[in-house]
Each structure stands twice: as structure tokens, then as C-alpha cells.
Amino acid sequence: MQTFRFDLCELPEETKGLRNDVRQFLARELADVPAHLRALTWSGSDPAFSRKMAAQGWIGMTWPKQYGGHERSAFDRYVVIEEMLAAGAPVGSHWIGDRQSGPLLLRFGTEEQRQLILPKVAKGECFLCIGMSEPDSGSDLAATRTRADKVEGGYKVNGTKLWTSGAHRAHYMIALFRTHSDPQNKHAGLTQFLVDLKTPGITIRPIRDLTGHAHFNEVVFEDVFVPDAMLVGSEGSGWGQVTAELAYERSGPERYLSSFILLVELIRRLEQEGGSEAEAEIGRLVAHLVTLRQMSLSVAGMLEAGENPALEASVVKDLGAIYEQDMALKAHEMIGAMPAMGDGDAFENVMGQITQISPSFSLRGGTREILRGIIARGLGLR
Amino acid sequence: MNEFQTILADSVARLMGHEVDRHLLEAAETGAFPDKLWAALEANGLTRILVPEAMGGTGGTWSDARIVLSAAGKASAPGPIAETLVAGFLLAQAGITPPEGPLTLIEGELTLANGTLSGTAKHVPWARAATHGVAMVSRHGASQVLLVPLGESRAGEADNIAREPRDSLTFGNVAVQAAATALPENALRLYGALARACQMAGALDYLTTQSVAYANERSQFGKPIGKFQAIQQQLAVLSTQAAAAGMAASYGCASADKAGEGHDPAFEIAIAKIRADDAAGIATSIAHQVHGAIGFTYEHALHFATRRLWAWRAEYGAGREWAKWLGAGVIARGADNLWSDVTAR
Ligand SMILES: Cc1cc2nc3c(=O)[nH]c(=O)nc-3n(C[C@H](O)[C@H](O)[C@H](O)COP(=O)(O)OP(=O)(O)OC[C@H]3O[C@@H](n4cnc5c(N)ncnc54)[C@H](O)[C@@H]3O)c2cc1C
């Protein structure tokens, strides 16, 4: 039995120049950003930064030129995003559109939808969010209740989306709605829509998370009209489309680099303090980091080759989340410093940030238990 | 994997399936050398993959050797396969043509004077079955590879917890063949660690396959235990640990294949051993838990793999030893070099 496939995938030599360009850009742009803000990585957003990245041609890199893309390889894109994450760039504004919604529209969207959205996304002027979860539909995504009922020329939407990251700053939502109810088969009857968040009847309420900041939202739909032209893919195919989308969502470098800034600040601290116990822990953390990077690259290679590494993507995300969370614990065990809210030194501030956000690493994008369920199915246990 | 490697993987898996069975594993644990398995490996050139064709070897790469080592680890194949491959590699790198037959690796308190070797070595794998061993000495940073005839040096027999021979040797002015090499002075330990990491990746694969199969067979409360979510989640963890160890071993071998050309593979090799060690702790624990009491018996085959993992993780440097080395290097290079170092390799 070959359980999973993780072939080595080496980044092409040509990506080196690009990597240097990105580093120079980041050295310039992030010079004054303190470590605890960089620790937010893709949860941190800054529309001005997104526009600067777009000006470099680093959003929508792999998309066709006719949609504002740059027709670069998936490896070029990989290099850009891993550099952004490792440096802690505030990539949150355009992240969803670039990673997920753009590729979704290229695959399932209509010509009109692509023309409407993709060029603006690639310019860093249009931001998207993902409306999947609801109050009663978290892990059990097929329990989606928000209804889109057929009316003349479109659909009328009623219901509530929850935990929608960035909805308060986004222009559009890719939403999963129920267009048909069949209690016997809840996976059928789900449909994806491209929703203009300025449409009357939509109320977006930011929800403060435990750090005190509002990144995610409740989005209420009351008799919201969504035109036929904004249906993505085909009616009733939402489940399959969402599943395809999640392979992109689960394997990228953001799945093991969320705590990277903490590792950097931890090492900086140890440069002074030293200690042989610490050396072994740092060695382990680096060994796991490098292994995860190779696994993530391997999945990127399969995506580039047009294969479907959904299972391997779940493996990377599960191992990555354990790793990212372990980092905060290890740093605490090794140093024991007081985590701070911006008034400590760089290490203490980053500890404060990562310690607080680390529970989300194994929730967002599919919980640990759901991922392990997918892996168990891959093993032939379910 | 390239086309040659796919064929190699198939044929090695077939060979292991033919040659390695319960009877062989038990016999090896009571001290019998696996003659028939060894002959089959030699006949297929699998013990000399890392020796160039000009020296009578197969002229393969570490990435090829990984396939053989992982298959051997997966089958718990007895015999000094890893040791012979590494010994052949070290000798060939120093320009010495490896002798026929099984070889071993000697680490110990050794001194070379006037072409003769003195000192003692413990935990020498399969020394009782090998005609020669390979050792390394260095002076003023210059390394030498030694081809050591074992003849009269055998000083005692012992086993590791996998009941693999780990013997003692005592040398008193034994004439050896010595040759200078560009390899680093810890090359024996380094490549020994890489070989063990590859074997461990194979053994971890076995634990996954075996544990999943058992969970589908064994019923309690009226259904296969694999239907219980608690078991499924544990097996998922086991499989991801095996996958990570496999990836790290592949990466270590790819790096070893680039050695020379201004590339030092020690970073990736250390990572391979660290990752295998970390995976072994988690994976053996889950595999035994899933198997219940039957997996704790000598009768059941699970322990052939788990005992090997517990022994191998400590051989040629435990994860901790390599992690200390790696971490010290990372800290010395400084926080701001970490990312560029990781991506430059
Ligand atoms: C920071 C953050 C950002 C997010 N951003 C978005 C977003 O932009 N868009 C969006 O749609 N969603 C978003 N989410 C929501 C996220 O996808 C959900 O939190 C996740 O799917 C889990 O749903 P839930 O929170 O309702 O937990 P529940 O599904 O209620 O799960 C609670 C616990 O029960 C476990 N559990 C549930 N079902 C099972 C089962 N069958 N077997 C075993 N255990 C089970 C879960 O693993 C978990 O541990 C975000 C979440 C976070 C934390």
C-alpha cells in the first residue's frame, strides 16, 4: 500500500532571481513594522501593501493575462508567498482572492464573472471573503442553511454566515447557499455564488476575537437579491466545487509558517542566552520546519502537474498546525518570558500574539479532527 | 522517483517478500546469518549500490539506496544491509575497492599508527558475520578511511534490543589499509545516520500498513475497531508521522547526492535522523495501542519493527544529538539568516 505520495520537488533555478527581488521589496516595505505585527502574517491586512504587491505583478501571478494575471508558474507564486509569510508581510487583504477565489472563478466561473473580478483582484483593488461556515454549520458544512430561493432573474437569499474572515473589508463574498432541500441528501442542493457585499439587505457585523481585534464577522442576509449571472459553476454542484477549492486552501506555506516570526525572535533571544537544552529544541523545530516545507512543495508540485493532492494537502495542514502550535509551547518552556501586548521586547510581544492566536491554527480551514477524518478515509478506514 | 527507481522499488519489494518471513526473522534473532537473503541481495547488486561500477559496484545514488534501505526497513530484513552500503560508500569515496561479502562500520576509541590500528569498539553491527569493517580516523582535520580486517579482533558478542548483533572488537596493532578522503571526519556517523533514517522510514510505513490492516480485522463491540473514531484519528496521526519521516529521508538522500560541488549535506541528513526519531516515538506508541495485547506478544510480528525503531533511533546519533548540532549551528548563524539558509539549500 502506497499511503500518500510525497515526491521531492525542487524549485526551479529560475526562481532565485525572483526570490531576491521579493526580499529587496520586503526589506524596503517592512523596515519599520514591529515583530508582533509581522507575526500576524496572513491575518494582517493592509490594502496599500496589497496594491504595492500588485504593482510588482505578485497577485494573480499564475492567471491568464487576459484576466490581469501574469502567466507565471505555480513555483514562482510559491516563492513569492513563502517569502511574504516568512517576513510577516500583511498579505491578508488580497490573500483569499489570490489563493482561492481567483482559481475557483478560473475553473468554474463564467466569462462575465472572471472579467468582473479577476483584473481588479490582480490590481490589489478587489478583496474577497469566503462564506461557508454558519451558526449551525461548522465542521458539518453540508448542513448549510442559508437559502437562495429562485425568483425572477436571480435568487433571494436569507440566512447568516459566520466567522467570515475579512468580510468587513471585502468587496465580494464567494458564498455557499442552499438552493434545494433534500433531507436525504444534504450534499446535493448546495450552490456557490459570487455576492457583491454592497447589495441591499446584507449586514456585516465584525466579531471581536480573543485578542480584542475583529478579523472575522457575522454576515446576515435578509431578502438579498443575487442575479442569475452571479451563480458560480452549476446549481447543485457547490459541494464538489468547495471540496476542490479546499485542496488549494490546505497545502500552502501558510499552513506551517504562521509561527515563523516567533521562531526567528526565539533564536534572536537565544543568541544571547544560549544553553544546550535550547540548542536541541531549536534543532528539532528547524528539522520539522524544513520537512514541512518539503512536503508543502511536494503538494505544490502535484498541483502544478494538474494532479489532485487533496489527501496530501490534509496531511500537510494537520502536521503544520501541530507544528505552529507546538512552537508557542516550546518557546514558553525554553524561555518562560511574560507574553506581552506590544509593550515588551520583540520576543515577548510576538509570544503574546502567537500564544493568543495559536488555537485558531487547528480550527480555520478545517479542524484537526475533520482533517484526520479525511486522512483516515484515505487510509481505507471509513 | 525516476523510471529506474520505480523498477528498483518493485523488484526490491518482491525480493523482500520472497526472502523475509517469520522464520528468517526468528532465526536471525538467535544468531543465524540470513545467508539466502544475503545471496539474493548480492546477486542483484543491492549491497553495492553506492560503489562505482569501476570498483565492481552498481554505481547508484543515495536516492537509489534509500529505496533499498526503506524496503529493508519495511520488511525488518535482518543482516548488515545498511552497514555494507555505507561501508562501500566510504571506501569508494576514499578510492579503496570494497571487498566481497558483508561489511560493518566501526566506531570506537581508535588510533592509527604506522598503518596499524589499535583500540576498542563496542556495538559493532554484525561484526561476527563480516570479514571486514570500515572505520575512520582524522588528524589535523584530515580524514582517513580504514579498511579493517576483523580476524582476531572479535572480543565479545552482544545484541541491541532488536536482537541484531552488536559486537565488541579489540584491536592491537592490526594492519589496515588506509586512504585519505575529502569526506568530513564524522562521515561514518553522518551517513550511518542517513541509512538508519531511511530504514526507519520504511519501518514506519510498515507500522501504518500493519496497524490499518489490523484495525480493519479486529472487531470489538460488534464492529471493526477501525470504525471507532478514536482509533481512526490515532491512525491518521501515525500515517502523517510516517509520511514526514519518509519526506525527510528522501530530502536527506537528495542532499547526499549533491555532496561535493561545494555542498555539505550534513544539514539535511541531521534533519532526516531527527524527524525519523520524532516520528518513531509517536508511531510505535500508536501502533502498539491499536494492536492491544496481541501486539505485545512475541508471537505477533509487530515488535520486529517497533524494536528496530527503538534501537535504530539511538544509533549513529539519536535525534537529540543531531538536533543539538543543528540547533547550535542555527543559533550561531543568527536569527536573521535562518530563512535565507533554509531556502538557499
Ligand atoms: C480565525 C478563524 C477564521 C475563520 N475564517 C473563516 C472564513 O473566512 N470563512 C468561513 O466560512 N469559516 C471561517 N472559519 C470557521 C471555520 O471554518 C470553522 O471554525 C471550522 O470549520 C469549525 O467549525 P466550528 O467552529 O463550528 O466548530 P464545530 O464544527 O462545532 O467543532 C467543534 C469541535 O468539535 C469537533 N468536531 C466536529 N464535528 C466532529 C466530528 N464529526 N468528529 C469529531 N470531531 C468533530 C471539531 O473538530 C472541533 O474540535 C474561521 C474560523 C476561525 C477560528
Side-chain angles (χ1 to χ4, degrees):
Chain A
M1 180 184 71
Q2 172 84 29
T3 321
F4 312 117
R5 229 185 92 199
F6 283 103
D7 289 345
L8 273 180
C9 172
E10 214 170 322
L11 285 169
E13 194 64 21
E14 311 86 78
T15 55
K16 287 205 168 132
L18 173 62
R19 192 185 289 283
N20 280 335
D21 294 346
V22 179
R23 282 188 185 161
Q24 280 170 19
F25 171 85
L26 287 170
R28 238 178 11 248
E29 294 298 330
L30 300 184
D32 303 324
V33 182
H36 66 283
L37 293 184
R38 283 187 280 116
L40 286 170
T41 64
W42 52 294
S43 308
S45 46
D46 177 354
F49 182 85
S50 291
R51 278 192 297 276
K52 284 182 194 163
M53 265 186 75
Q56 301 287 331
W58 294 338
I59 301 180
M61 284 180 80
T62 61
W63 307 350
K65 290 199 168 133
Q66 66 196 106
Y67 304 120
H70 304 279
E71 301 185 1
R72 307 283 291 260
S73 78
F75 296 123
D76 284 346
R77 175 171 183 273
Y78 195 95
V79 165
V80 170
I81 62 174
E82 74 169 352
E83 287 298 322
M84 294 289 159
L85 294 165
V91 289
S93 297
H94 66 270
W95 190 255
I96 300 288
D98 179 57
R99 172 183 74 185
Q100 203 164 339
S101 310
L104 176 88
L105 291 175
L106 280 171
R107 195 155 158 203
F108 298 112
T110 63
E111 186 58 25
E112 183 193 343
Q113 291 164 358
R114 294 174 188 172
Q115 293 291 358
L116 174 70
I117 297 291
L118 299 181
K120 284 189 282 185
V121 173
K123 278 194 196 140
E125 290 169 359
C126 174
F127 307 134
L128 287 103
C129 60
I130 300 293
M132 293 193 196
S133 306
E134 298 183 3
D136 294 322
S137 166
S139 299
D140 186 8
L141 184 58
T144 291
R145 276 216 293 234
T146 301
R147 301 186 51 84
D149 295 317
K150 192 76 193 88
V151 293
E152 177 73 35
Y155 294 80
K156 190 178 69 186
V157 180
N158 280 288
T160 301
K161 290 291 170 185
L162 199 56
W163 318 126
T164 319
S165 296
H168 56 314
R169 300 197 183 104
H171 304 92
Y172 288 87
M173 173 190 281
I174 302 276
L176 184 69
F177 296 143
R178 184 161 293 289
T179 43
H180 176 75
S181 294
D182 176 0
Q184 300 307 311
N185 184 1
K186 50 185 193 153
H187 294 87
L190 294 173
T191 306
Q192 283 188 301
F193 291 88
L194 176 60
V195 180
D196 183 342
L197 290 172
K198 290 189 304 292
T199 315
I202 297 179
T203 312
I204 300 173
R205 190 176 67 83
I207 302 170
R208 282 209 301 165
D209 64 26
L210 58 76
T211 69
H213 297 284
H215 292 289
F216 51 26
N217 300 268
E218 178 191 63
V219 184
V220 179
F221 296 80
E222 287 164 304
D223 289 337
V224 174
F225 178 76
V226 179
D228 283 331
M230 292 296 110
L231 190 155
V232 179
S234 50
E235 193 180 288
S237 300
W239 182 257
Q241 292 174 205
V242 161
T243 315
E245 190 178 332
L246 288 173
Y248 286 94
E249 192 181 331
R250 285 181 175 154
S251 63
E254 72 273 26
R255 295 308 179 186
Y256 68 94
L257 285 174
S258 308
S259 301
F260 184 72
I261 300 290
L262 176 57
L263 181 58
V264 172
E265 294 308 322
L266 175 61
I267 292 170
R268 202 184 309 289
R269 182 96 176 206
L270 291 168
E271 283 174 43
Q272 274 95 50
E273 295 183 7
S276 68
E277 224 21 76
E279 287 170 355
E281 277 308 338
I282 293 296
R284 286 192 61 239
L285 290 170
V286 171
H288 286 244
L289 173 81
V290 170
T291 306
L292 280 161
R293 178 165 182 263
Q294 291 306 315
M295 296 180 93
S296 167
L297 273 169
S298 176
V299 175
M302 285 189 265
L303 283 173
E304 171 77 352
E307 292 164 42
N308 176 12
L311 190 57
E312 283 78 5
S314 298
V315 172
V316 176
K317 182 172 177 332
D318 186 36
L319 284 170
I322 303 173
Y323 174 73
E324 293 175 329
Q325 292 176 334
D326 201 35
M327 184 94 69
L329 179 62
K330 286 282 149 51
H332 168 67
E333 287 172 354
M334 288 160 73
I335 307 290
M338 188 68 74
M341 298 271 290
D343 56 353
D345 67 18
F347 173 73
E348 292 159 352
N349 291 338
V350 173
M351 266 306 271
Q353 191 74 269
I354 298 289
T355 304
Q356 291 184 82
I357 64 176
S358 65
S360 71
F361 301 160
S362 55
L363 295 172
R364 62 187 185 189
T367 69
R368 170 159 34 243
E369 290 71 23
I370 294 304
L371 293 171
R372 290 180 181 173
I374 292 169
I375 295 165
R377 181 171 290 123
L379 291 172
L381 289 162
R382 312 175 43 203
Chain B
M1 285 207 284
N2 60 35
E3 201 179 327
F4 167 72
Q5 289 170 338
T6 311
I7 295 168
L8 179 65
D10 282 350
S11 64
V12 177
R14 216 169 319 115
L15 187 152
M16 293 295 169
H18 264 240
E19 300 295 337
V20 183
D21 59 13
R22 164 119 211 151
H23 179 73
L24 182 76
L25 291 175
E26 277 194 41
E29 299 216 331
T30 57
F33 188 79
D35 293 306
K36 199 161 153 286
L37 167 64
W38 195 263
L41 290 166
E42 281 194 334
N44 287 285
L46 299 176
T47 57
R48 298 162 85 84
I49 289 185
L50 296 168
V51 176
E53 288 179 45
M55 289 183 174
T58 320
T61 62
W62 268 100
S63 299
D64 302 335
R66 178 187 64 80
I67 291 167
V68 176
L69 289 165
S70 291
K74 189 167 183 173
S76 296
I81 302 170
E83 292 77 3
T84 303
L85 281 170
V86 175
F89 172 75
L90 298 173
L91 290 170
Q93 293 288 311
I96 302 175
T97 300
E100 299 281 312
L103 303 173
T104 189
L105 299 171
I106 306 168
E107 281 185 303
E109 301 293 318
L110 304 173
T111 46
L112 181 71
N114 305 320
T116 67
L117 184 72
S118 298
T120 58
K122 277 170 43 175
H123 309 301
V124 182
W126 296 92
R128 67 192 75 163
T131 56
H132 292 77
V134 169
M136 286 186 73
V137 291
S138 70
R139 202 170 343 141
H140 308 309
S143 313
Q144 284 188 295
V145 172
L146 315 180
L147 176 61
V148 184
L150 297 185
E152 304 303 302
S153 312
R154 298 189 182 89
E157 297 191 348
D159 294 340
N160 67 12
I161 61 169
R163 254 75 102 207
E164 294 175 304
R166 296 293 186 260
D167 299 336
S168 298
L169 300 173
T170 304
F171 302 102
N173 291 317
V174 175
V176 299
Q177 189 179 346
T181 170
L183 291 168
E185 59 183 51
N186 71 341
L188 189 153
R189 200 167 181 77
L190 187 66
Y191 289 98
L194 180 59
R196 285 288 182 268
C198 294
Q199 290 172 291
M200 290 175 75
L204 289 161
D205 251 359
Y206 165 78
L207 291 192
T208 306
T209 317
Q210 166 58 33
S211 302
V212 168
Y214 184 75
N216 279 330
E217 263 160 50
R218 168 72 174 167
S219 280
Q220 284 292 282
F221 301 97
K223 57 182 179 181
I225 56 168
K227 295 289 166 216
F228 293 106
Q229 198 185 44
I231 300 284
Q232 292 174 352
Q233 300 261 311
Q234 288 298 302
L235 290 174
V237 173
L238 164 55
S239 72
T240 60
Q241 291 296 322
M247 182 91 268
S250 301
Y251 191 46
C253 289
S255 177
D257 286 331
K258 288 193 224 156
E261 331 159 9
H263 174 85
D264 176 2
F267 184 80
E268 288 79 13
I269 293 176
I271 286 170
K273 189 74 201 291
I274 294 165
R275 197 61 190 85
D277 188 344
D278 284 348
I282 299 169
T284 51
S285 152
I286 294 173
H288 274 292
Q289 192 63 25
V290 166
H291 278 80
I294 194 78
F296 191 63
T297 63
Y298 193 81
E299 178 71 27
H300 196 281
L302 183 64
H303 63 84
F304 290 114
T306 53
R307 284 186 293 116
R308 276 171 173 72
L309 284 164
W310 293 323
W312 292 345
R313 69 182 176 186
E315 293 182 342
Y316 304 109
R320 183 187 152 73
E321 175 182 318
W322 290 109
K324 248 176 83 62
W325 173 81
L326 187 73
V330 165
I331 295 168
R333 286 277 297 149
D336 294 323
N337 284 318
L338 173 62
W339 183 249
S340 52
D341 286 355
V342 164
T343 50
R345 300 193 63 92

